[in-house]
């Protein structure tokens, strides 16, 4: 893993709390698909600094939060203490600590693009969800990362490495770009039925704080948002 979520974990935590892309676009768009979680069992995958976990705890859910980065796990534990179960796990190895049929919701914001193959994790998500439970996740819009030149192949799963300025200095991040076909086939192969698809909308509050980003995101989606039901 790159250093964004380890060495820079504290700065990342501060940056995404209220910024435009996370606080006023990604989070409201994902939460619009999650809905009511009071008294529900929620598993937060790739929990990062625990902003989602905190929201679900505040809503009255029982929350388990998982992340590859020990630093992110520590930040989440410092924030939420005994209010969540939080532990480190590489999700490309699945969910070995989780029992079958134990969650009403699995929420996984902005994490699946760090996995080359989605099917092993999606099958694990299906296993730990109760029948009819919900899997909600967000990820990069496939077209945002697609280089439209004669040599690129939209249908391939491609590793992309970029410098991101999220924490106020460029930090190299590597992730995978995949087609809509790959994404939806992976869901179907893992026992999910698509329930809702969205390309999100910036929160109107962004108009005041970041008018240029609001204008851009109102015309060009950056992420996609999916709600699927475990069969
Ligand atoms: C963009 S952050 C999103 C954090 C949080 N979901 C949010 O939206 O606020 C991505 C998170 O995924 C975690 N991650 C990346 N690869 C992972 C893996 N293989 N297993 C578990 N977590 C992973 C990173 O450590 C990081 O905390």
């Amino acid at each position: 893993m790159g250093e964004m979520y380890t060495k820079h974990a504290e700065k990342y935590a501060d940056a995404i709390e209220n910024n435009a892309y996370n606080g006023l676009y990604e989070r409201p768009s994902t939460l619009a698909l999650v809905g009511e979680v009071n008294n529900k069992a929620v598993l937060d995958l790739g929990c990062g600094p625990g902003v989602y976990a905190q929201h679900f705890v505040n809503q009255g859910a029982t929350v388990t939060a998982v992340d590859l980065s020990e630093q992110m796990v520590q930040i989440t534990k410092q924030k939420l203490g005994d209010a969540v179960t939080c532990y480190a796990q590489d999700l490309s190895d699945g969910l070995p600590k989780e029992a079958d049929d134990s969650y009403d919701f699995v929420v996984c914001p902005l994490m699946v693009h760090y996995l080359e193959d989605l099917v092993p994790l999606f099958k694990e998500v299906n296993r730990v969800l109760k029948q009819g439970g919900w899997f909600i996740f967000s990820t990069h819009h496939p077209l945002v990362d697609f280089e439209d030149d004669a040599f690129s192949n939209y249908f391939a799963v491609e590793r992309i490495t970029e410098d991101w300025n999220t924490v106020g200095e460029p930090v190299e991040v590597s992730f995978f770009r995949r087609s809509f076909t790959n994404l939806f086939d992976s869901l179907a192969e893992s026992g999910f039925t698509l329930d809702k698809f969205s390309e999100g909308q910036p929160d109107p509050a962004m108009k005041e704080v970041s008018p240029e980003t609001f204008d851009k995101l109102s015309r060009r989606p950056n992420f996609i948002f999916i709600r699927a039901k475990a069969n």
Side-chain angles (χ1 to χ4, degrees):
M1 184 169 53
E3 294 184 335
M4 180 68 93
Y5 308 120
T6 51
K7 184 177 167 197
H8 300 286
E10 294 279 355
K11 281 194 205 157
Y12 182 82
D14 288 345
I16 67 158
E17 188 83 39
N18 295 308
N19 68 355
Y21 272 79
N22 297 82
L24 295 172
Y25 170 52
E26 193 282 326
R27 224 173 292 133
S29 303
T30 294
L31 290 175
L33 297 187
V34 177
E36 185 59 54
V37 295
N38 187 25
N39 289 322
K40 301 291 185 191
V42 177
L43 178 62
D44 179 359
L45 297 181
C47 64
V51 183
Y52 273 96
Q54 182 146 40
H55 173 85
F56 296 137
V57 166
N58 293 346
Q59 299 284 305
T62 304
V63 181
T64 300
V66 179
D67 201 283
L68 173 61
S69 156
E70 290 283 356
Q71 288 87 340
M72 291 301 188
V73 168
Q74 284 316 314
I75 293 171
T76 300
K77 282 184 169 171
Q78 271 160 23
K79 243 184 226 174
L80 293 166
D82 292 341
V84 289
T85 303
C86 185
Y87 64 90
Q89 170 72 50
D90 184 346
L91 291 167
S92 56
D93 296 332
L95 292 161
K97 294 188 178 150
E98 299 298 332
D100 296 358
D101 302 322
S102 38
Y103 289 96
D104 302 291
F105 290 84
V106 175
V107 182
C108 183
L110 298 182
M111 197 288 295
V112 300
H113 40 269
Y114 297 109
L115 304 180
E116 185 162 14
D117 184 0
L118 298 180
V119 172
L121 177 64
F122 283 9
K123 284 190 170 164
E124 280 287 89
V125 171
N126 194 294
R127 178 181 69 75
V128 304
L129 273 171
K130 297 174 186 172
Q131 199 177 358
W134 297 106
F135 178 33
I136 293 120
F137 65 96
S138 64
T139 187
H140 295 191
H141 196 295
L143 292 176
V144 166
D145 300 318
F146 179 59
E147 293 292 334
D148 188 11
D149 67 44
F151 298 101
S152 56
N153 177 1
Y154 169 77
F155 292 101
V157 176
E158 294 176 329
R159 182 189 286 276
I160 294 179
T161 301
E162 289 177 346
D163 280 346
W164 289 357
N165 272 311
T166 318
V167 297
E169 61 181 291
V171 177
E172 194 177 274
V173 180
S174 264
F175 57 91
F176 293 95
R177 187 203 59 76
R178 57 175 51 82
S179 63
F180 279 113
T181 303
N182 177 287
L183 191 77
F184 291 125
D185 283 355
S186 300
L187 276 175
E189 194 183 329
S190 310
F192 286 100
T193 304
L194 179 67
D195 178 67
K196 179 98 178 119
F197 169 77
S198 133
E199 286 162 305
Q201 273 298 312
D203 189 298
M206 198 194 292
K207 232 184 276 184
E208 305 301 321
V209 286
S210 293
E212 280 169 22
T213 311
F214 180 82
D215 180 53
K216 184 177 167 196
L217 290 173
S218 301
R219 293 179 295 110
R220 286 179 67 99
N222 195 75
F223 300 135
I224 55 174
F225 304 85
I226 287 167
R227 181 169 69 203
K229 196 172 200 168
N231 299 329

